[in-house]
Amino acid sequence: MSEKRLHKETLAVQAGYTPGNGEPRICPIVQSTTFKYDDAQSVADLFDLKTPGFFYTRLANPTVDALEKKIAALEGGVACVCTSSGQAANANAILNVARAGDHVVACSSLYGGTVSLFTNTLKKCGIEFTYLLPSATEEELQAAIRPNTKAVFAETLCNPSVVVLDIEKFARVAHANGIPLIVDNTFPTPMLCQPFQWGADIITHSTTKYLDGHASSVGGAIVEKGDFDWGNGKFPEFIQPDESYHGLVYTRNFPQCPYSAKMRAQWIRDLGNPQMAFNAFLTMLGMETLHLRMERHSQNALALARFLESHPKVAWVNYPGLESSPDHPLAQKYLPHGCSGVMCFGVKGGKEAGERLMDNLKLAAIVVHVADVRTCVLHPASMTHRQLSEAELKAAGVSPDLIRLSVGIENIQDLCDDFDQALQKA
């Protein structure tokens, strides 16, 4: 049966690896840097990208390849390239389409590390970014586009403000200008939202989060939808010969997945930031229960959000699954099966009261992480987003009293009891 005909729940369990007769039932960890061949021509053809296969784990590895196929199947893409981290995925996704002198439009409410990557590191590479609120109108988006704009970048669910992206709106403006929409789909995962269905062209993930789901392995992924016109004149590196591969042309030699082929052949090869086999193995194990976990994460988060919203010591709660959320209509459209486990809230008494709350939690831990099976909290303004200026924090929707809460899959009554006792001491 074709994988495309299978439901997502089945793909999460079965996609990516099919054992042959007498082979291991579980995808093995191929912990080898190199691969043996019987003749020199076979290796030469691999180096020239004439034949598929594996010759050095920096470019491709059988275990990582299985994970890439699983993620691509779940997102509905034609190809996936896994990286060493989510940051590497977002960096590579931009570098694959933009170079010095180019420009990218991005949402302002991104994860702080992504803003720092774009504003500082990629700026040093000569790539300029313009930031707009997710609520920007199509006219405002269009006004930000320049002749040298090469992409629009956004998050499906912003970290940590959990603003829901109007994917179709951003896709319309991007496509009207012949540029791709790149969407970070880390928080919803393909179980809750598939951005390709709404017009996205490239999807990135921090596989470190829900895809792994157990805080055991760091990784990233970049998925290609497969129908963007890279030969429209705005992306010469896709249609001009690549001299480092003896004149190979990506749109000609890899017509189904030119973006992914270029990504692996150039950026993974030269930057050397692939995902490692052991991390890929752990992520695949986690993904086999992704559909079950995302359902429970979303159920628990909605219940806890309602509990906090009604608590007398809580000043505000932002979770798109709540009817009171301004993003609830967008959540019903793009996230009809749940809004994941991440929310943010503020305690009456401000930042100091919030710190007392976090110090008194028993089950929920203070960790610099998000989106795994255990409930955790974090204060973004002083932790994950501390590199941002006050203006950048405001644009990202990060107030001084904001607490990011990642709801796990524990018993919901135990979680409510834990937050209640901590709030009493706040």
Side-chain angles (χ1 to χ4, degrees):
M1 180 180 292
S2 171
E3 285 185 350
K4 290 189 176 181
R5 297 180 182 177
L6 299 176
H7 292 83
K8 290 185 291 183
E9 295 85 352
T10 304
L11 292 173
V13 178
Q14 299 277 1
Y17 171 74
T18 303
N21 186 46
E23 293 182 344
R25 181 68 183 89
I26 306 301
C27 180
I29 305 170
V30 181
Q31 195 64 34
S32 178
T33 62
T34 52
F35 303 84
K36 177 187 177 295
Y37 288 90
D38 294 332
D39 60 89
Q41 188 59 48
S42 295
V43 180
D45 289 342
L46 287 168
F47 267 97
D48 286 343
L49 306 183
K50 292 180 179 178
T51 59
F54 308 97
F55 59 95
Y56 196 56
T57 281
R58 174 157 53 87
L59 278 87
N61 172 281
T63 310
V64 179
D65 179 68
L67 174 61
E68 291 170 342
K69 290 175 179 175
K70 185 185 287 286
I71 295 174
L74 278 171
E75 286 288 15
V78 297
C80 172
V81 177
C82 281
T83 61
S84 57
S85 68
Q87 282 288 83
N90 286 338
N92 285 12
I94 296 296
L95 290 170
N96 206 34
V97 295
R99 53 187 174 183
D102 286 338
H103 172 256
V104 174
V105 173
C107 273
S108 59
S109 53
L110 300 174
Y111 164 59
T114 305
V115 175
S116 181
L117 165 69
F118 290 174
T119 304
N120 299 309
T121 303
L122 291 187
K123 182 179 179 180
K124 294 174 184 176
C125 298
I127 303 171
E128 187 177 355
F129 289 80
T130 296
Y131 295 96
L132 294 176
L133 292 170
S135 59
T137 64
E138 292 191 37
E139 291 73 21
E140 290 170 329
L141 286 168
Q142 181 59 51
I145 302 291
R146 305 174 186 174
N148 62 336
T149 302
K150 294 303 176 75
V152 176
F153 186 96
E155 294 173 349
T156 316
L157 268 175
C158 298
N159 177 8
S161 61
V162 291
V163 173
V164 181
L165 180 71
D166 189 343
I167 304 172
E168 284 191 310
K169 176 180 70 176
F170 276 73
R172 278 194 300 270
V173 176
H175 295 161
N177 291 274
I179 56 178
L181 172 62
I182 304 173
V183 174
D184 185 327
N185 198 36
T186 295
F187 277 0
T189 80
M191 287 303 166
L192 301 180
C193 181
Q194 292 179 306
F196 287 155
Q197 295 181 355
W198 303 101
D201 302 290
I202 304 295
I203 292 173
T204 65
H205 282 278
S206 170
T207 64
T208 316
K209 309 306 190 298
Y210 284 125
L211 295 188
D212 165 41
H214 299 82
S216 64
S217 58
V218 175
I222 308 161
V223 192
E224 179 179 3
K225 182 182 181 183
D227 61 0
F228 186 82
D229 180 12
W230 298 106
N232 64 10
K234 289 182 174 289
F235 305 94
E237 290 186 359
F238 286 86
I239 59 175
Q240 294 173 353
D242 184 344
E243 297 306 323
S244 68
Y245 283 103
H246 308 294
L248 175 150
V249 176
Y250 291 102
T251 53
R252 181 187 67 202
N253 292 73
F254 301 94
Q256 290 186 319
C257 55
Y259 179 92
S260 300
K262 181 175 178 292
M263 172 72 66
R264 192 181 304 280
Q266 292 183 349
W267 296 106
I268 297 296
R269 176 197 65 183
D270 292 343
L271 296 184
N273 54 10
Q275 189 163 151
M276 292 294 98
F278 187 58
N279 284 11
F281 174 80
L282 292 174
T283 301
M284 277 192 289
L285 285 182
M287 289 184 67
E288 290 177 359
T289 60
L290 182 62
H291 51 297
L292 303 175
R293 290 187 286 106
M294 294 313 296
E295 180 179 355
R296 183 62 172 264
H297 280 298
S298 298
Q299 290 173 350
N300 274 0
L302 181 57
L304 189 53
R306 286 172 174 162
F307 170 80
L308 293 173
E309 190 175 43
S310 64
H311 201 285
K313 293 200 173 184
V314 174
W316 58 271
V317 180
N318 186 15
Y319 182 67
L322 292 172
E323 291 79 0
S324 59
S325 168
D327 284 341
H328 188 63
L330 284 176
Q332 289 182 305
K333 175 180 178 178
Y334 294 114
L335 301 159
H337 303 298
C339 297
S340 89
V342 183
M343 71 179 77
C344 53
F345 70 100
V347 180
K348 291 180 180 178
K351 180 176 179 289
E352 292 73 19
E355 290 176 349
R356 289 194 294 272
L357 162 78
M358 292 193 293
D359 291 344
N360 283 286
L361 288 166
K362 306 299 183 186
L363 290 177
I366 303 173
V367 298
V368 185
H369 193 249
V370 67
D372 69 60
V373 293
R374 304 161 193 87
T375 297
C376 60
V377 293
L378 178 143
H379 182 246
S382 64
M383 298 177 186
T384 56
H385 289 60
R386 67 177 298 112
Q387 296 95 342
L388 304 190
S389 66
E390 289 188 13
E392 288 172 332
L393 286 171
K394 183 177 180 181
V398 179
S399 59
D401 65 336
L402 185 150
I403 295 172
R404 186 182 70 183
L405 166 58
S406 177
V407 185
I409 61 173
E410 303 94 339
N411 179 275
I412 186 58
Q413 188 58 55
D414 291 339
L415 293 178
C416 290
D417 290 345
D418 188 31
F419 276 87
D420 185 48
Q421 65 83 21
L423 283 164
Q424 300 304 329
K425 300 172 184 175

